[in-house]
Amino acid sequence: MSNANHPLSLEVLTRLKSGEARSRIRESILGKNGRFKVLLRELGTLPGADRQAANTKLQSLRTHLEHLLEDVPSNTTSTVDLDWSLPPTPQRTGSLHPITAMIEEMVGIFSELSFEVVEGNELVSVAENFDNLNIKPHHPARDGHDTFYITEEILLRTQTTAVQVCELKKRHQSQDLPFRVVVPGRTYRREADATHSPMFHQLDAVVVDQNATFAELKGVMQYFAQRLFGDEVETRFRPHHFPFTEPSAELDVRLKNAPAGSRLADWLELGGCGMIHPDVLRRAGISPRTYRGWAFGMSIERPVMIRHRITDLRQLFSAENQFLQQSHIILP
Amino acid sequence: MKLNIAWARELVATRASAEYLADRLIHTSSELEDTILWPKLLESVVVGEVTTVTRHENAQRLNVLTVSTGNKNHTIVCGGTNVATGIKVALALPGAELHPQSGNCIQIKATTIRGTESAGMVCAQEELGFPPGAAGEIWILPPTATPGMPLHQYLGLTDAVLDLEITPNRPDLLSHLGLAREIAAFERKPLREPTVLSIDSSSKRLPHLVEMVVQGKETAHKAASLSFTVLPNAKTPAVAIGRLYAAGIKTVHPVVDATNYVMLELGQPLHAYDHQLLSRGSEHTTLTVTSLSKATEFTGLDGKVYQLESGDTVVMEGDRIVALGGILGGAETAIHKDTTEVTIESVCFAAPAIRRASRRLGLRSEASLRSEKGTDQELVVTALKRIAELLVLWKIAEPSSKISDTKAARHERAHISVSVQDITQQLGMNLSIPDAKHILQSLGFRTVSTTKSSLVCIPPSWRADVVQLEDCIEEIGRMWGYDRIPASPMTSSGRAPIPNNTWILTAKLRAGLVASGYSEVQLQPFVSEEALNRFSIPVSTAVRLNNPFSANAAYLSPTGMLTHLISVAADQASDTHFHFETAHRFVTKDGKPSERNTLSIIAHSDELPVTLHNDVSAAIALALQSAAIPTKLSWSNNGRTSSISDSISGLTLGEARLLSSTELQQWKIRRGKSVLCVEIDLDTLLSLGTQNHIYEPATTFPQVSRDISLALQGCSWSDLETIIHKKRPVLLQNYTLHSKAVLDKTLVVTIRCIYGTDRTLTDTEVTTAHDALIAQLQKVSGVTIR
């Protein structure tokens, strides 16, 4: 029993990697007709005392060998028929519309700033959509070229700002001031081409507070733009005119290191904003000397088109699976 | 508004670059839409003098010209019909790139035309990017032009022209003077107002006085007139031509060109009449600005006939309409090339009537653009004095009358008080009164009193938009610079927000449906009457638009099922659609339009209706579960339709439809066998609220399940449920539809019944209860135990 003349040294055994080879060797040594069985059988030929000593040695060697050869890691690939790299069987997957996803994201940002969500009606009165917002009867926006009328008095809202004065009144009457709301929803205008849809979406953010200032409007909208487009975004507030805000501004955004082809490489108008016009506050019964407010309004489609690089707005309003389910296709 | 920077520099002495000025204008008042660089656009275009004209040998309509540029002669083939020896022309040399307003860029190269070499092009105005001249003619420059001079220099177009978007509240910025005032304010430079000719009204009586009269406040605030005698050989100076062209305005007649020049400069539209045609020889002519009392026809100086309506503002001489106020002069009194006496009218019209008429008639001129937004009544006389100055300076005409003007309408100007506190409260920043005062004064505001903490100001006549405190704050804020106002974090409102359950639950329902493999769509709600009929929706229940795009889109669909169907039919590329939409729907109720919140679903595939129904109902159930809405939907069996209700409250929640193969053909849905659609009223559904589930400890006693298989013919699952609910054995804890299959055209369902109680049941107890239930179910007609 010397290691030197044995073809299988212990070192060789410990270095055996292949599970198959190990089990073959195990069989050949410890198996039914293995060498160990032969050795054990040969024990009988030894004299009593030697037999006892040899047996002890043999049993200890056996335990050692069993330990060495037993701890074979089971290599299943060779024996189990499983291709781990297979993709899953296609299952029907659903998707949220990119407009809804955008609205939910934006509402989420405002919700974190304690804004409450108000949706309002889409059928509104001429007063709600226009008069209350200082849009006078002869204003071009009021004629039939831009607005869908149901009756002379009722129309499909052309802006989510139509919710504003009703909400202001309601809050004032229920002594629910100050307040901050975000108003997402559908709006309608009588125009249709690659960049205009008769039905589209807007989002307004409105704050009424004794401490509301233009500086706060700037701070909140900068934060909003950063959350939406990332920290690389730059913002620019540019004077503009809206009948229902004074002072008024437009918010432009651009990215410092815009990716190639991005429309955010240059300044892009994100939305309009300003301090709520004192006459709008007065119309709701709120004194502009006690409370001030600011409002921001934007279209949802524009950031959706920028983010997803959609060039034809009309695609957003189709039911084409090829369009809707693109978000599931991931190419390397 | 196209701001010619070179022109603006005459009104405010600034050396700042056009680029810098554009950036400051963006930051203080007007968005930049485009920058037009004439020196670049007119590169290699020079003044030339035609020295010889010979007919082209091989082309009837072409001439071969020798054009001198001072020290060099160029041979040019030209097709212009008005070429002649001695004329001055615009010559584009090889290398020039012309940018006509319509059409593509023209690259000028030396080329051979029908065998004759041509070293450039003699241009028409249009080819240079200017307003078109007469068809087929080249542009003949004034005879004073110097051959060889770069054209842009000759025309004074030496700097950029900024195309600015002027907001509707700032009609005062529709002029070079107005924009120069803004530049002067932010550049802190004085404004140099254009010089005017002083016309002494008390001097010798001039013969051609035309008296102005205004009838009614709704027509005009102030009107004035001044007459001139046209001088022989009157020519519009090159710089004026350049400035008009850069603004996109054609040159017509030196006097008319001067009226347009003054309009661009000051913002006051002027109209020139042929005095003889206007007065018809009478010594006393009166022009009346009035509101038309009845509809009538009017021939404009463009030769077209317009239908005027009662209420339109017109200018009348006797019983003749000589101009459509602020929009268009009349053909009858128009200036022509032989006009010797002119009368120029200057009116501050009341804007609304002008806007109505110009919109209705589709006449949007540079004049109407200004008049319909409202001009400054204090400019009315100034503009006449300015044109007098120019006409004399340019040797075009001499005044032949004094100015006749009407009394200005009374115009109360607000005294507005602005305090440091007001500025802080609105803008969120501190600004001193001297700073605020400086800004306001630089914009033409008068300050009538100033203390350390406040001031009182009066806005200038051209700022009708400034009437109260906030308007002044805007002026201060924008001129100080919005970019210099700090961005502060949001302060606490001091209260917790109230969650909007409709919003939250709708989002959960959407997420649930997406998880079940449904894709959300956003569909246009506009449908035709025919579509409503085809979907058996009474037209009277739909909301009709007063002014639809077309008859095909005249109604708002009262149900999302219909718009889903239309859009699925339009997507022929797919044979399966599992879509949903949450949207407001509109219905006519008691003659009034009303609105509700809905969830609509469509399932379209090759599967059997039973499979589609299973898919949809499972998806809805999952969505309801994920929103924790305490409801169990019950679907009624009405053939191809089903009414969906809440089995707990009995409230109707919605409806569902299965389309027949005939209907599929009608909708031209050629692929996919079955279409099932559902609409649920979210207002009602969400009124059920949400449920907080109370958890019970898991039972320690074993439950026993037993299955029953039943074949159903002429009997529905809901019939079985009714019996189970009525005759429910005490030990039956729950039951589920374990499986369903169609065997030999018969629906076979397996119900798994779960028995249990607060102790361990014996086999006999379970068997007794289960057999009792089977016995009850067997009594239902159409049920066979399998």
Side-chain angles (χ1 to χ4, degrees):
Chain A
M1 274 292 297
S2 118
N3 283 342
N5 59 17
H6 198 281
L8 277 170
S9 71
L10 281 174
E11 285 91 321
V12 171
L13 280 180
T14 51
R15 271 187 269 117
L16 273 175
K17 289 255 163 64
S18 153
E20 213 179 332
R22 287 177 86 122
S23 50
R24 219 181 323 110
I25 290 163
R26 185 189 159 84
E27 192 61 31
S28 69
I29 301 171
L30 300 171
K32 239 189 216 165
N33 302 312
R35 295 191 194 181
F36 233 90
K37 275 274 153 59
V38 179
L39 283 173
L40 280 175
R41 248 179 267 132
E42 284 173 1
L43 265 184
T45 61
L46 291 175
D50 287 358
R51 196 165 63 196
Q52 191 60 42
N55 189 34
T56 313
K57 261 193 169 176
L58 264 182
Q59 288 307 335
S60 128
L61 178 63
R62 184 162 127 148
T63 314
H64 185 60
L65 280 171
E66 267 177 347
H67 176 73
L68 265 180
L69 290 165
E70 188 189 42
D71 201 15
V72 176
S74 61
N75 192 335
T76 44
T77 45
S78 57
T79 51
V80 179
D81 188 18
L82 174 59
D83 178 356
W84 292 80
S85 67
L86 279 176
T89 315
Q91 264 191 320
R92 201 177 76 223
T93 44
S95 56
L96 209 55
H97 194 276
I99 289 176
T100 309
M102 180 63 80
I103 292 177
E104 288 189 357
E105 183 179 336
M106 290 175 169
V107 166
I109 298 168
F110 281 107
S111 297
E112 287 168 27
L113 296 170
S114 297
F115 282 69
E116 295 170 6
V117 186
V118 171
E119 291 184 89
N121 285 340
E122 291 169 22
L123 284 179
V124 298
S125 67
V126 170
E128 287 170 277
N129 201 72
F130 295 127
D131 296 303
N132 286 349
L133 299 170
N134 296 339
I135 303 171
K136 300 201 174 90
H138 50 72
H139 195 281
R142 286 179 78 141
D143 70 28
H145 291 289
D146 301 306
T147 308
F148 284 117
Y149 286 89
I150 308 298
T151 66
E152 274 183 21
E153 270 309 301
I154 299 172
L155 50 87
L156 283 170
R157 67 177 177 195
T158 63
Q159 47 187 357
T160 41
T161 318
V163 173
Q164 206 175 91
V165 173
C166 280
E167 192 63 23
L168 287 167
K169 254 188 211 163
K170 205 174 85 188
R171 301 275 181 163
H172 172 63
Q173 282 162 5
S174 56
Q175 300 191 324
D176 195 11
L177 296 173
F179 75 89
R180 43 183 86 168
V181 293
V182 55
V183 188
R186 282 187 172 177
T187 45
Y188 304 83
R189 283 187 201 171
R190 205 172 167 277
E191 46 194 2
D193 56 42
T195 53
H196 295 94
S197 161
M199 184 269 282
F200 61 105
H201 298 76
Q202 280 189 345
L203 178 134
D204 270 30
V206 185
V207 169
V208 173
D209 200 301
Q210 279 158 315
N211 301 319
T213 62
F214 193 87
E216 183 185 73
L217 158 67
K218 272 190 76 176
V220 172
M221 293 322 301
Q222 264 180 21
Y223 171 75
F224 174 76
Q226 276 170 7
R227 285 288 304 274
L228 206 59
F229 299 108
D231 288 340
E232 295 277 274
V233 81
E234 292 178 283
T235 54
R236 173 173 88 173
F237 290 81
R238 177 167 49 73
H240 200 71
H241 170 71
F242 302 104
F244 39 89
T245 49
E246 191 79 26
S248 303
E250 271 187 333
L251 170 60
D252 295 342
V253 290
R254 76 172 171 197
L255 284 183
K256 272 177 210 150
N257 299 308
S262 167
R263 286 181 63 199
L264 287 174
D266 201 1
W267 289 115
L268 193 86
E269 177 204 324
L270 188 64
C273 56
M275 300 299 291
I276 298 176
H277 197 285
D279 294 346
V280 172
L281 290 173
R282 283 189 195 106
R283 227 163 260 136
I286 299 172
S287 161
R289 299 293 159 253
T290 315
Y291 281 96
R292 273 154 295 276
W294 58 258
F296 174 86
M298 66 185 298
S299 107
I300 305 295
E301 277 75 3
R302 174 169 276 195
V304 167
M305 289 173 81
I306 294 167
R307 179 177 285 184
H308 304 291
R309 306 239 178 135
I310 294 164
T311 48
D312 190 341
L313 180 63
R314 285 167 286 207
Q315 288 188 301
L316 283 170
F317 306 106
S318 78
E320 293 165 19
N321 284 329
Q322 274 189 16
F323 176 78
L324 294 168
Q325 287 166 3
Q326 280 179 72
S327 60
H328 310 315
I329 304 164
I330 300 158
L331 294 172
Chain B
M1 167 73 196
K2 293 199 173 71
L3 173 68
N4 187 328
I5 292 293
W7 195 347
R9 286 187 206 280
E10 284 177 10
L11 303 167
V12 54
T14 176
R15 288 199 192 141
S17 71
E19 202 181 359
Y20 167 83
L21 294 175
D23 184 65
R24 287 320 301 159
L25 283 167
I26 289 169
H27 278 91
T28 53
S29 64
S30 306
E31 172 70 319
L32 178 72
E33 293 190 325
D34 199 7
T35 302
I36 304 130
L37 288 168
W38 286 108
K40 196 164 175 291
L41 294 174
L42 296 180
E43 213 175 309
S44 300
V45 183
V46 296
V47 176
E49 182 174 5
V50 178
T51 51
T52 65
V53 178
T54 44
R55 178 76 61 196
H56 194 291
E57 285 177 1
N58 306 321
Q60 279 248 317
R61 290 185 184 171
L62 296 179
N63 287 302
V64 181
L65 317 180
T66 308
V67 182
S68 159
T69 53
N71 49 11
K72 202 177 168 196
N73 284 335
H74 309 260
T75 306
I76 310 287
V77 177
C78 177
T81 54
N82 57 336
V83 290
T85 312
I87 60 168
K88 304 282 173 64
V89 294
L91 174 65
L93 296 168
E97 271 187 25
L98 306 183
H99 298 267
Q101 282 184 348
S102 54
N104 297 328
C105 167
I106 307 169
Q107 308 256 0
I108 305 296
K109 287 177 206 148
T111 176
T112 307
I113 299 170
R114 302 235 179 161
T116 306
E117 276 183 23
S118 181
M121 182 165 96
V122 171
C123 304
Q125 288 98 317
E126 196 179 18
E127 288 159 341
L128 297 166
F130 292 143
E137 294 187 355
I138 52 134
W139 181 18
I140 300 176
L141 303 177
T144 49
T146 315
M149 194 176 189
L151 186 69
H152 74 271
Q153 264 178 25
Y154 174 64
L155 296 172
L157 298 173
T158 49
D159 208 331
V161 170
L162 307 179
D163 193 358
L164 298 165
E165 181 201 349
I166 306 299
T167 53
N169 60 324
R170 294 299 304 275
D172 63 304
L173 298 186
L174 293 170
S175 69
H176 281 77
L177 181 64
L179 284 162
R181 190 180 288 117
E182 296 278 314
I183 293 171
F186 63 68
E187 284 290 280
R188 303 196 164 216
K189 293 267 164 62
L191 182 70
R192 297 189 297 211
E193 297 204 21
T195 51
V196 296
L197 189 72
S198 81
I199 293 164
D200 188 357
S201 55
S202 65
S203 68
K204 64 179 167 123
R205 194 183 152 81
L206 290 158
H208 298 124
L209 184 70
V210 171
E211 196 189 341
M212 293 300 298
V213 175
V214 170
Q215 278 183 348
K217 274 187 289 190
E218 72 290 354
T219 61
H221 305 301
K222 186 173 172 70
S225 80
L226 179 59
S227 301
F228 295 86
T229 303
V230 181
L231 300 173
N233 280 322
K235 292 271 185 248
T236 307
V239 170
I241 295 173
R243 289 179 178 182
L244 293 175
Y245 277 3
I249 297 177
K250 285 187 192 188
T251 50
V252 182
H253 179 282
V255 172
V256 177
D257 294 348
T259 63
N260 286 329
Y261 186 96
V262 171
M263 174 179 69
L264 293 177
E265 188 176 53
L266 304 181
Q268 173 63 49
L270 300 171
H271 179 62
Y273 299 96
D274 181 301
H275 180 78
Q276 277 143 339
L277 295 174
L278 189 67
S279 64
R280 293 186 282 189
S282 160
E283 281 209 7
H284 299 282
T285 310
T286 304
L287 282 182
T288 310
V289 183
T290 187
S291 182
L292 205 55
S293 58
K294 61 178 198 307
T296 182
E297 279 186 353
F298 167 71
T299 308
L301 49 76
D302 57 2
K304 291 181 189 154
V305 177
Y306 295 95
Q307 301 295 325
L308 305 192
E309 284 181 7
S310 157
D312 287 348
T313 300
V314 291
V315 182
M316 302 198 67
E317 186 284 313
D319 53 4
R320 287 188 300 168
I321 298 172
V322 291
L324 174 55
I327 303 175
L328 187 66
E332 217 176 308
T333 53
I335 283 197
H336 51 89
K337 65 179 187 354
D338 301 322
T339 295
T340 54
E341 304 289 333
V342 296
T343 294
I344 297 180
E345 151 211 294
S346 177
V347 184
C348 174
F349 288 100
I354 310 296
R355 185 179 305 117
R356 264 197 317 272
S358 79
R359 286 214 143 219
R360 191 188 70 241
L361 299 168
L363 274 167
R364 312 298 297 277
S365 61
E366 288 284 336
S368 73
L369 185 76
R370 288 165 175 83
S371 288
E372 71 175 40
K373 291 197 164 108
T375 51
D376 175 8
Q377 66 176 21
E378 298 200 356
L379 269 180
V380 167
V381 171
T382 310
L384 285 181
K385 291 180 175 172
R386 175 61 180 159
I387 197 166
E389 165 98 0
L390 292 175
L391 291 175
V392 170
L393 182 73
W394 293 342
K395 300 186 174 64
I396 293 171
E398 296 276 0
S400 61
S401 77
K402 58 177 189 165
I403 290 174
S404 158
D405 64 330
T406 63
K407 232 172 132 185
R410 263 181 74 81
H411 184 65
E412 293 276 328
R413 280 203 220 125
H415 283 52
I416 305 168
S417 165
V418 182
S419 71
V420 169
Q421 196 197 1
D422 292 329
I423 299 171
T424 310
Q425 281 181 341
Q426 291 280 337
L427 299 179
M429 62 175 283
N430 295 318
L431 196 76
S432 72
I433 286 300
D435 280 335
K437 186 176 168 181
H438 177 85
I439 289 172
L440 291 171
Q441 284 183 339
S442 68
L443 293 170
F445 287 62
R446 259 197 317 134
T447 46
V448 288
S449 73
T450 314
T451 68
K452 211 175 156 216
S453 60
S454 72
L455 61 81
V456 176
C457 67
I458 304 174
S461 60
W462 57 87
R463 292 303 302 273
D465 60 312
V466 179
V467 293
Q468 55 185 321
L469 169 67
E470 285 75 6
D471 303 323
C472 288
I473 300 280
E474 176 170 71
E475 295 306 297
I476 295 166
R478 72 182 179 88
M479 294 312 289
W480 179 255
Y482 283 175
D483 46 347
R484 289 166 76 194
I485 296 175
S488 25
M490 190 145 202
T491 50
S492 166
S493 70
R495 43 163 285 187
I498 299 158
N500 178 333
N501 268 330
T502 303
W503 175 259
I504 294 168
L505 295 180
T506 308
K508 285 184 178 175
L509 289 174
R510 283 195 291 256
L513 288 165
V514 169
S516 295
Y518 283 74
S519 294
E520 192 196 12
V521 289
Q522 299 268 5
L523 302 175
Q524 301 283 353
F526 312 101
V527 295
S528 66
E529 184 171 345
E530 193 219 340
L532 291 171
N533 286 332
R534 199 190 288 169
F535 204 62
S536 318
I537 298 171
V539 169
S540 61
T541 64
V543 172
R544 190 179 191 285
L545 296 172
N546 236 354
N547 56 340
F549 261 132
S550 69
N552 278 336
Y555 290 88
L556 297 171
S557 177
T559 165
M561 296 192 284
L562 176 58
T563 43
H564 273 306
L565 201 54
I566 292 168
S567 63
V568 160
D571 181 25
Q572 294 286 352
S574 296
D575 53 5
T576 34
H577 294 90
F578 290 87
H579 290 168
F580 75 96
E581 184 180 30
T582 53
H584 288 210
R585 301 285 164 211
F586 312 100
V587 285
T588 298
K589 236 186 202 168
D590 309 323
K592 282 188 191 143
S594 73
E595 180 172 351
R596 65 201 173 92
N597 219 340
T598 65
L599 161 67
S600 55
I601 304 175
I602 193 161
H604 164 224
S605 85
D606 250 340
E607 315 266 10
L608 288 172
V610 62
T611 316
L612 278 190
H613 171 251
N614 185 55
D615 200 303
V616 171
S617 59
I620 295 175
L622 177 78
L624 290 170
Q625 214 175 7
S626 47
I629 297 169
T631 178
K632 187 169 178 294
L633 296 192
S634 148
W635 300 59
S636 77
N637 275 314
N638 308 319
R640 295 204 157 270
T641 65
S642 174
S643 164
I644 304 168
S645 56
D646 171 39
S647 59
I648 302 160
S649 64
L651 284 172
T652 302
L653 297 178
E655 56 167 323
R657 294 203 197 182
L658 175 69
L659 268 75
S660 69
S661 53
T662 328
E663 283 174 306
L664 290 184
Q665 272 170 19
Q666 280 178 346
W667 289 103
K668 300 197 171 69
I669 297 176
R670 296 189 188 90
R671 307 177 61 184
K673 268 198 294 235
S674 314
V675 171
L676 193 149
C677 42
V678 177
E679 176 148 288
I680 289 173
D681 186 320
L682 281 183
D683 292 332
T684 315
L685 179 74
L686 300 182
S687 72
L688 300 174
T690 56
Q691 187 186 37
N692 176 31
H693 185 76
I694 306 297
Y695 283 84
E696 284 172 7
T699 175
T700 47
F701 302 103
Q703 291 180 322
V704 181
S705 71
R706 295 280 169 88
D707 291 355
I708 324 169
S709 273
L710 304 167
L712 307 182
Q713 267 182 319
C715 153
S716 74
W717 170 258
S718 66
D719 297 336
L720 294 183
E721 279 202 307
T722 315
I723 294 300
I724 299 174
H725 286 207
K726 256 194 219 157
K727 309 285 179 183
R728 177 180 194 150
V730 187
L731 298 177
L732 182 66
Q733 287 199 321
N734 198 5
Y735 68 92
T736 52
L737 173 63
H738 182 59
S739 69
K740 56 190 168 190
V742 180
L743 301 172
D744 301 331
K745 292 185 178 170
T746 307
L747 178 65
V748 176
V749 296
T750 304
I751 308 172
R752 177 153 291 176
C753 304
I754 313 289
Y755 294 95
T757 185
D758 52 359
R759 61 182 166 79
T760 305
L761 291 174
T762 65
D763 191 51
T764 325
E765 279 176 310
V766 174
T767 308
T768 313
H770 194 59
D771 286 349
L773 182 63
I774 292 174
Q776 289 298 340
L777 291 173
Q778 250 174 331
K779 286 185 194 165
V780 182
S781 82
V783 172
T784 323
I785 307 287
R786 285 172 62 99

